[in-house]
């Protein structure tokens, strides 16, 4: 009985199989052929596809010519549900292209015919684009919007289109003149490398204009007559998005110029030859917002048109297939005050080492100036510098001490020297003998007694220092800043000589000039200052991640330099607060009282003559390196009404004597 059942099952299977074969009308094979065609078209290589009456290689060549104008973009192509009609199959091909900021979607129809049991694709240009006829290809026209402006306080135009001239050799104008001789002569006139430029001119095509240099029209000293005296040389008027001068806030703002090959390659099709893009600073960070997006048209046209014929068709005759509307960029609004920024740059112009001046408004956090001097060599020292702050950090120490019950009138001990785990600490050269011994905290702060603050290490823990710093807006993230910056680093853990060094702003404690201004500004405001530079980050930007502000601050020790000195001693016994409360008005008032004493009785008395509101200040001199004697950074911070300023000079000597006069000049002129 079991064998009969097995036999019945086999017979039933054979009958069903025969029935399925009988019903197989070739649909599966046609569908496979359609999928193969869709995949091959998407790859721009139909070599693996079998065509009826068309060589696969010739089909590939024609396909690539049709789509050449869209290079390097490739489509995604999917085959739809086929329709079968007695040996002929019709299949929709669904296309999707990423064209600029838009997506071009369309469907075409592909046919297949069965021959000798095999499905062959029927070649037709119409399967590539809607209504495309034999002898037609796709073409594109694009129009780039003008780059948007970068604005400062009161919508002052920091970066806007300004007139320039492109100076170079126009090869058609050379006639019989020697290209190398003209190029060499022009290069010498405008100050570029003669050999390199001559080689560039000789390598260019006969119709090329080879730019040697772009000069601002305003203040140009090389005249058109000088340029015109050289065979083939021309000065072509143009305009570029530029700041008021070549150096104005350059490290902060960045520059905008024609995209180079590397930028184009890395843009994934966003940039093309001739596009303007940002390099460095806010120009690069907010490139998407400032650049906007191109208007693009895709059309069908006859292949092989001459330049003249194509120009004629610009006025009509082309069949438009797809269009992306042009989208102008959105101006970037900042808080930068052009007068104060230029003032800061003018003051730093005479400083040799890396230097910075940062000014902000404590009441709002608005960054008014962030200038890096010529010695910074293009680096944004003002915003990104990471330096030991020295004695300006005693503002943080003092807040921690006040939170432990001290007042400006409290007595502290200020010996001439102090030894910690075998390391000797001393006061700065010239420290007044009258302020040694038992003195008030105010007096120790005003004259910057290192030993008095190091003596406080047993009652002020490293964790309390970190908490006090964050209470003053230092060593925190800055989400409202809108620009890349270093907001300071204060380790929460340190012992022995490292903890002692922290008490005088050394060891692993690091600040930037920006964070130093924030610290002083928080005292002036009576609450933590949240610095702000960019007012409308990424306005009008819809593409994911485009123009994102990136890192705006660093907290903790993630960017600290390696520790120095002995770290084996036990941690100070004072407990750390569970959370860093913002600096309170009463605490800030006590700090402001001591900062004012630096001017009235300390070594920043030169600021007493600054007109207007009383100035409160703190100087700082931070040793670094292994030289003997060591090199020093010179710091000074001040609060003057609703203005907080930090001045920094790398390798600057004493803060009071080096950075102090720069600060006085700035405050006096700032008004």
């Amino acid at each position: 009985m079991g064998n009969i059942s097995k036999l019945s099952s086999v017979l039933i299977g054979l009958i069903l199989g025969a029935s399925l074969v009988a019903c197989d009308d070739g649909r599966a094979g046609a569908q496979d052929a359609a999928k193969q065609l869709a995949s091959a078209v998407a790859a721009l290589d139909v070599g693996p596809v079998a065509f009826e009456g068309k060589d696969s290689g010739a089909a590939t060549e024609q396909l690539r010519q049709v789509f050449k104008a869209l290079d390097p973009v490739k489509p995604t192509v999917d085959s739809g549900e086929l329709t079968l009609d007695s040996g002929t199959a019709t299949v929709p091909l669904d296309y999707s292209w990423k064209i600029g900021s838009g997506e071009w979607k369309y469907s075409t129809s592909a046919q297949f015919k069965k021959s000798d049991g095999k499905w062959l694709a029927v070649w037709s240009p119409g399967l590539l684009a809607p209504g495309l006829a034999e002898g037609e290809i796709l073409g594109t026209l694009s129009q780039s919007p003008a780059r948007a402006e970068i604005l400062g306080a009161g919508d002052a135009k920091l970066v806007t289109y300004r007139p320039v001239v492109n100076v170079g050799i126009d090869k058609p104008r050379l006639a019989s003149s020697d290209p190398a001789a003209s190029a060499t002569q022009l290069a010498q006139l405008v100050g570029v490398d003669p050999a390199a430029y001559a080689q560039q001119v000789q390598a260019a095509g006969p119709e090329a204009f080879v730019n040697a240099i772009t000069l601002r029209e305003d203040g140009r000293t090389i005249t058109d007559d000088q340029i015109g005296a050289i065979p083939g040389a021309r000065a072509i008027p143009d305009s570029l998005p530029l700041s008021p001068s070549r150096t104005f806030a350059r490290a902060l703002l960045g520059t905008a110029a024609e995209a180079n090959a590397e930028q184009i390659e890395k843009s994934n099709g966003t940039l093309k030859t001739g596009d303007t893009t940002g390099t460095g600073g806010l120009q690069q960070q907010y490139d998407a917002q400032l650049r906007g997006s191109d208007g693009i048209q895709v059309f069908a046209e006859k292949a092989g048109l001459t330049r003249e014929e194509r120009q004629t068709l610009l006025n009509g005759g082309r069949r438009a297939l797809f269009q992306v509307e042009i989208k102008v960029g959105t101006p970037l609004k900042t808080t930068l005050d052009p007068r104060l920024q230029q003032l800061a740059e003018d003051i730093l112009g005479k400083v040799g080492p890396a230097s910075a001046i940062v000014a902000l408004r404590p009441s709002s956090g608005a960054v008014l100036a962030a200038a890096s001097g010529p010695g910074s060599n293009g680096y944004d020292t003002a915003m990104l510098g990471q330096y030991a702050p020295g004695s300006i950090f005693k503002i943080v120490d003092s807040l921690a001490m006040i939170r432990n019950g001290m007042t400006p009138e409290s007595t502290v001990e200020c010996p001439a020297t102090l030894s910690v785990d075998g390391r000797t600490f001393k006061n700065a050269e010239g420290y007044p003998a009258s302020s040694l011994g038992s003195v008030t905290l105010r007096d120790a702060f005003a004259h910057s007694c290192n030993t008095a603050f190091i003596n406080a290490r047993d009652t002020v823990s490293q964790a309390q220092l970190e908490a006090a710093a964050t209470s003053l807006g230092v060593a925190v993230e800055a989400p409202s800043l809108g620009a890349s910056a270093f907001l300071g680093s204060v380790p929460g853990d340190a012992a022995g000589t490292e903890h002692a060094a922290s008490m005088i702003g050394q060891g692993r404690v690091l600040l930037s000039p920006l964070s130093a201004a924030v610290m002083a500004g928080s005292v002036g405001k009576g609450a933590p200052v949240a610095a702000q530079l960019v007012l409308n980050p990424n306005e009008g930007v819809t593409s994911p991640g485009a123009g994102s502000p990136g890192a705006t601050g660093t907290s903790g020790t993630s960017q600290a330099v390696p520790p120095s000195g002995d770290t084996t001693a036990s941690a100070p016994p004072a407990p750390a607060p569970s959370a860093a409360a913002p600096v309170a008005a009463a605490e800030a008032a006590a700090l402001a009282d001591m900062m004012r004493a630096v001017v009235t009785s300390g070594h920043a008395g030169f600021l007493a003559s600054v007109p207007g509101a009383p100035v409160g200040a703190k100087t700082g001199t931070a040793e670094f390196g292994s030289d003997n004697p060591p090199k020093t950074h010179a710091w000074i911070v001040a609060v003057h009404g609703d203005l907080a300023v930090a001045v920094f000079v790398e390798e600057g000597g004493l803060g009071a004597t080096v950075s102090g006069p720069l600060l006085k000049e700035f405050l006096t002129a700032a008004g």
Side-chain angles (χ1 to χ4, degrees), residues 180-585:
S182 288
T184 300
Q185 194 176 349
L186 181 62
Q188 291 170 341
L189 175 66
V190 300
V192 300
D193 184 345
Y197 182 60
Q199 184 178 12
Q200 188 182 354
V201 170
Q202 288 179 299
E207 300 297 318
F209 173 81
V210 186
N211 194 48
I213 194 170
T214 299
L215 302 173
R216 288 174 180 258
E217 189 65 80
D218 184 30
R220 173 161 65 107
T221 57
I222 299 172
T223 67
D224 288 345
D225 288 342
Q226 289 175 295
I227 297 165
I230 301 170
R234 287 182 67 191
I236 302 176
D238 197 359
S239 63
L240 287 175
L242 298 171
S243 56
S245 69
R246 188 181 64 84
T247 58
F248 181 88
R250 189 181 181 94
L252 176 62
L253 298 177
T255 58
E258 186 172 325
N260 59 38
E262 183 181 0
Q263 289 170 321
I264 292 170
E265 183 180 352
K266 289 182 176 179
S267 74
N268 296 319
T270 302
L271 297 174
K272 63 182 184 306
T273 302
D275 281 351
T276 297
T277 190
T279 300
L282 299 181
Q283 288 279 17
Q284 182 171 334
Q285 187 172 324
Y286 291 98
D287 189 56
Q289 174 173 336
L290 294 165
R291 191 177 69 245
S293 58
D294 290 352
I296 303 174
Q297 187 184 74
V298 182
F299 51 82
E301 68 174 5
K302 289 181 180 179
L305 292 175
T306 64
R307 181 187 295 180
E308 292 74 17
E309 289 171 332
R310 186 171 286 108
Q311 190 64 37
T312 300
L313 287 177
L314 287 176
N315 301 320
R318 285 174 163 165
R319 181 162 49 85
L321 300 175
F322 177 72
Q323 184 160 322
V324 177
E325 295 298 329
I326 193 170
K327 181 182 177 183
V328 298
T330 303
L332 188 70
K333 297 181 179 181
T334 76
T335 59
L336 215 61
D337 184 310
R339 184 181 72 86
L340 294 182
Q341 177 70 26
Q342 190 61 60
L343 172 63
E345 292 186 9
D346 290 344
I347 291 171
L348 294 177
K350 57 198 172 190
V351 178
S355 59
I357 294 178
V358 175
L360 56 81
R361 200 173 299 289
S363 60
S364 63
V367 177
L368 305 177
S372 300
S376 298
N377 295 318
Y379 185 69
D380 194 353
T381 301
M383 302 282 283
L384 299 172
Q386 300 183 29
Y387 299 98
S391 291
I392 63 170
F393 194 71
K394 288 170 183 170
I395 295 173
V396 172
D397 295 347
S398 298
L399 175 58
M401 294 164 74
I402 288 168
R403 287 179 168 179
N404 282 345
M406 298 191 77
T407 71
E409 300 294 340
S410 297
T411 300
V412 295
E413 293 301 319
C414 176
T417 61
L418 185 67
S419 180
V420 179
D421 295 339
R423 180 180 173 184
T424 299
F425 293 89
K426 61 181 181 178
N427 296 314
E429 190 175 340
Y431 186 88
S434 59
S435 291
L436 291 173
S438 295
V439 297
T440 64
L441 176 60
R442 180 189 293 107
D443 195 28
F445 185 93
H447 290 96
S448 206
C449 178
N450 289 337
T451 56
F453 284 91
I454 293 172
N455 260 332
R457 71 192 184 281
D458 290 333
T459 55
V460 176
S461 72
Q462 188 70 28
Q464 286 177 317
L465 279 185
E466 182 188 32
T470 59
S471 296
L472 290 165
V474 174
V476 296
E477 298 295 333
S480 61
L481 183 65
S484 297
F486 176 72
L487 263 293
S489 180
V490 180
D493 241 345
T497 57
E498 187 187 331
H499 178 50
S502 293
M503 298 295 294
I504 54 172
Q506 306 243 184
R508 287 190 292 149
V509 175
L510 298 171
L511 293 185
S512 65
L514 172 66
S515 57
V518 167
M519 177 179 67
S522 297
V523 174
K525 181 181 179 180
V529 167
Q532 184 173 37
L533 175 68
V534 176
L535 299 173
N536 63 333
N538 304 317
E539 184 180 342
V541 176
T542 56
S543 55
S548 58
T552 55
T554 303
S555 60
T557 60
S558 61
Q559 293 193 36
V561 294
S564 60
D566 179 23
T567 59
T568 58
S570 59
S578 58
V583 63

Side-chain angles (χ1 to χ4, degrees), residues 46-102:
V46 292
V49 178
F51 291 97
E52 182 193 52
K54 180 78 171 182
D55 177 73
S56 297
T60 294
E61 180 61 28
Q62 187 175 351
L63 176 150
R64 290 176 178 173
Q65 286 300 315
V66 166
F67 291 149
K68 184 177 181 180
L70 300 179
D71 185 62
V73 181
K74 292 182 178 181
T76 59
V77 187
D78 295 308
S79 57
E81 190 64 33
L82 66 83
T83 301
L84 200 62
D85 185 12
S86 62
T88 299
T90 303
V91 182
L93 297 180
D94 299 323
Y95 286 75
S96 178
W97 296 82
K98 183 71 174 69
I99 306 294
S101 61

